[in-house]
Amino acid sequence: MGKVCAGEALVTPTLLITGGSRGIGAATARLAAQRGYAVCISYLRNKSAAEAVVDDILALGGRAMAIAADVGIETEVIRLFGAVNAQYGSISALVNNAGILEQQMRVDQMDAARLLRIFTTNVVGSFLCAREAVRRMSSRYGGSGGAIVNLSSGAARLGAPGEYVDYAASKGAIDTFTIGLAREVADEGIRVNAVRPGVIYTEIHADGGEPQRVDRLKATVPMQRGGQAEEVANAILWLLSDEASYVTGAILDVTGGR
Ligand code: NAP
């Protein structure tokens, strides 16, 4: 995908995906590269997985880079966006995808350290990355616009009782963040939307102590199956694209009806 403005050469759109080394982020990176984006993925510690995504994209003739950066640490987020600027010049799209959950437990078992980890990565991280993106994309700062997609979760509606209410609540915060930021920057050339995946086959469920969670829950999905990361990536890429040019502040369920 490229945008041609009057009197300008074809501009390659640039996309930063946080947590792009695995799962939904990796699927989004691969699809975005196919659609013509120059892609930067960030990751926390899984360098080999991040390099594999980059290598796949380069092998197909695309542009990609990977940067280790913890989205919950402000200095690392600033360094991440600086690296994107240095390599690609500008940023036209952001996917706030990095997210974590922890061992399934009830609220009455959760300590403050865990709550801080969940909210720091899932909520503070998304705010910090969006802040850096807005400072580059917004017409208020001389930018030429852009699009942001936040990863929420169907858990924001369901609450994840007995599993991870903290995670679900952090995604509720992402829904509200999406609505507020979308309205804040709507007349500055930036669209902000969210995708709420349902149960998707990725490694995140193993972090909760139940690698087979999707198979356990698939009977509760009206479509009677779990989703694939590529199906979420399709929704994300649509929201980023000009086909969604009048869509902002939207929260799109990709849940098989759950
Ligand atoms: P995943 O397979 O566990 O991958 C998580 C990714 O985030 C990895 O690339 C990981 O990097 C990165 N990451 C974790 N903490 C980070 C941090 N502090 N800074 C930077 N990167 C970090 O997750 P997923 O299932 O694809 O989920 C992606 C997003 O979709 C998350 O926001 C999740 O909450 C949401 N979601 C997922 C589902 C589902 O069923 N899978 C459902 C609803 C919503 P490393 O590889 O270096 O660890």
Side-chain angles (χ1 to χ4, degrees):
M1 190 190 98
K3 225 187 244 176
V4 185
C5 305
E8 285 182 19
L10 190 72
V11 177
T12 301
T14 54
L15 168 62
L16 170 61
I17 305 166
T18 64
S21 48
R22 295 182 288 121
I24 292 166
T28 304
R30 290 190 167 94
L31 185 61
Q34 284 172 29
R35 302 258 173 105
Y37 286 91
V39 174
C40 176
I41 59 169
S42 75
Y43 62 99
L44 185 59
R45 59 177 72 93
N46 203 330
K47 188 175 186 198
S48 58
E51 286 177 348
V53 174
V54 169
D55 288 347
D56 286 353
I57 291 172
L58 297 179
L60 291 171
R63 287 182 72 189
M65 61 190 274
I67 306 279
D70 186 334
V71 294
I73 299 176
E74 190 168 19
T75 51
E76 297 202 10
V77 170
I78 291 168
R79 177 174 55 79
L80 170 64
F81 277 79
V84 175
N85 278 137
Q87 196 70 25
Y88 294 153
S90 66
I91 175 169
S92 37
L94 166 69
V95 178
N96 263 324
N97 169 78
I100 56 166
L101 49 73
E102 296 196 9
Q103 183 66 37
Q104 295 175 357
M105 64 175 66
R106 289 166 49 96
V107 171
D108 51 27
Q109 303 300 313
M110 292 176 187
D111 61 20
R114 166 179 167 137
L115 297 173
L116 282 172
R117 286 192 298 273
I118 296 295
F119 280 84
T120 299
T121 297
N122 296 1
V123 183
V124 177
S126 296
F127 268 79
L128 291 174
C129 291
R131 181 193 74 191
E132 292 304 307
V134 167
R135 287 178 179 175
R136 288 160 172 80
M137 296 172 179
S138 168
S139 56
R140 173 184 280 243
Y141 292 93
S144 49
I148 298 172
V149 171
N150 298 321
L151 267 290
S152 175
S153 169
R157 285 187 285 100
L158 301 170
E163 294 188 320
Y164 16 70
V165 175
D166 53 347
Y167 169 83
S170 77
K171 295 301 184 176
I174 290 299
D175 286 358
T176 306
F177 171 51
T178 300
I179 294 164
L181 182 63
R183 293 177 180 186
E184 200 165 281
V185 299
D187 65 352
E188 298 170 21
I190 307 174
R191 294 183 301 103
V192 184
N193 294 288
V195 168
R196 261 197 310 227
V199 286
I200 310 298
Y201 287 99
T202 73
E203 294 169 358
I204 201 170
H205 307 286
D207 297 336
E210 191 185 0
Q212 308 305 323
R213 179 172 178 268
V214 178
D215 286 330
R216 171 173 64 83
L217 291 174
K218 67 184 179 191
T220 68
V221 178
M223 288 179 71
Q224 296 291 303
R225 66 174 179 86
Q228 299 296 334
E230 291 72 18
E231 296 180 288
V232 182
N234 278 323
I236 293 169
L237 264 297
W238 177 74
L239 284 170
L240 291 179
S241 78
D242 287 343
E243 290 186 7
S245 57
Y246 200 51
V247 181
T248 198
I251 301 171
L252 178 57
D253 285 335
V254 184
T255 59
R258 186 167 186 258

